[in-house]
Amino acid sequence: MNHSILFNNGEATESELVLTIGQLNFKPDFSIFIPTFNRPYLLKEALESALNQNYNGNYEIVIIDNCSDEENFEIVKDYIFGLNLKKNKSISLYRCLTHSNSWNMGMLKSISDWVVMLHDDDLLVDKHLYEVHKCISLNREIKLLCSDSYNLIQTTQLSVLNKLFMFFKEFIKKFKNNRIIKLNVFDFYFHNPASNTGVVINRKIALEQGGFNFFKDSPIPDYAFFYRLTRDFNSTYYLNTKLSKIRFAVNDGLRKEVIQNVRVKSDRIRQDILFNNPNFKDNDYRFRDFTLKLNEIEQSLDISYLERYIKIPFFKVYTRVVSLFVFYKSISS
C-alpha cells in the first residue's frame, strides 16, 4: 500500500525514530499512539496513564512529536530515556521531519493489530486496556470501539447551556452503565458518538481506508473518519464505561468561528446519510434545519434583537434537546 495517501501535500510522509526503550518478546496486543506538540508536562501525565495499565498482555506506546521546540523535545526525550519499563511494555519516540498529520503517522508507526488513540493532554484510566481487550475478544465483529470518558473541565469558557447539556448527558448514561452498544450511521447524524480519546481502531482497516483527512475534514477529521468506518463496515461499538479522562481547557475548539466551521463540516456527514437513506429525513426532528439556520444567523453581520435573544437561544436549546433524546434512545435500544 502507498502510505503517502495518508498525508496531504507539503506534509512529511516519514519521521525519525529518536529512541526506543523496553523490549517485547511478542507482537503487542495494542499500540497506544500519542501525538504531541510543545506540551511536555501534560504528555508526561498522559504517558504515565498509558504505562499504569492493569493489563498483563504486551503493548507498545508510540509517541509522535510534531516538531516541538528543541527545549520541549529534550524534556520529553530525557524523561522517556530515564524510565524503567516492565518486560511487557515498550516506548518509541518519533519526531516528524516537518509538520505532519501525526495521527496518521502514529497509526503508520504502530505494529499491533489494534491502535489506541490518546491525546497528549488526556488520560487513560488504569483498566482501559483490560476492558477493551475483553470486549474485542468476545466480539470479533468489532472494527472500532469507543468508550465513555470523565470530563475534566479546566476552563471558564464553557457556557451555561453546554454545562447543562453535559450534566444531562451524564445523567442519561447512568441508566445503562457498563453496557456495550452497536452504533449505526443515524447515531452520527445528531452528534459524534465516538470520543477520539481512548478509541480503539483496527489498524489494518484504518490504513486501508486512508486514515484521518485533516485537509478535507478539518476541524473534525475524527468525526468524519469514524462515520466512514461505521457506514462502510457496520462494526462500530460504544462501551458505556468511563475508560478515559478528557480535559476541557482553553483551546481553539471553543472559539465561535471554529464551532461554526464544525457545524458546516458536520453537515457534510448529514448530507451523506440523507443521500444514502432518503427516508430518514422524516425522522430528523428538523435537527438539520435548525442547525443550519443557527449557523446562518450567527454568521450574519447584522443580528436583530429577535434573533440574538429569542431565535439563537431557542435553536441552541432545541438542537441539544434533540441530541440528548436520540442519545437516550441509542443507549436504551
Side-chain angles (χ1 to χ4, degrees), residues 23-63:
Q23 186 174 1
L24 300 176
N25 296 325
F26 305 98
K27 182 178 178 180
D29 302 325
F30 296 98
S31 297
I32 302 174
F33 70 86
I34 313 175
T36 188
F37 175 71
N38 278 344
R39 298 200 282 198
Y41 298 105
L42 287 176
L43 173 63
K44 286 181 182 180
E45 294 183 29
L47 182 54
E48 287 172 4
S49 76
L51 290 172
N52 294 330
Q53 291 293 302
N54 295 332
Y55 181 68
N56 294 325
N58 285 352
Y59 65 95
E60 67 165 350
I61 300 170
V62 178
I63 301 173

Side-chain angles (χ1 to χ4, degrees), residues 8-31:
N8 300 312
N9 291 334
E11 288 184 335
T13 58
E14 191 50 77
S15 58
E16 175 191 4
L17 176 61
V18 178
L19 66 88
T20 298
I21 64 170
Q23 186 174 1
L24 300 176
N25 296 325
F26 305 98
K27 182 178 178 180
D29 302 325
F30 296 98
S31 297

Side-chain angles (χ1 to χ4, degrees), residues 76-138:
V76 171
K77 186 172 70 172
D78 292 344
Y79 174 73
I80 295 173
F81 188 76
L83 291 172
N84 184 19
L85 299 187
K86 295 181 179 179
K87 291 183 178 180
N88 66 327
K89 301 180 180 71
S90 73
I91 300 176
S92 297
L93 173 63
Y94 290 86
R95 194 176 198 187
C96 296
L97 305 180
T98 63
H99 284 284
S100 178
N101 184 335
S102 49
W103 288 10
N104 284 340
M105 190 69 78
M107 287 198 297
L108 192 57
K109 295 303 181 183
S110 300
I111 62 173
S112 71
D113 295 332
W114 295 97
V115 292
V116 181
M117 292 177 59
L118 177 60
H119 289 188
D120 64 354
D121 59 338
D122 295 331
L123 308 167
L124 298 179
V125 302
D126 57 10
K127 64 178 180 178
H128 182 279
L129 291 185
Y130 172 80
E131 292 292 343
V132 298
H133 180 264
K134 183 168 62 174
C135 288
I136 293 169
S137 299
L138 293 174

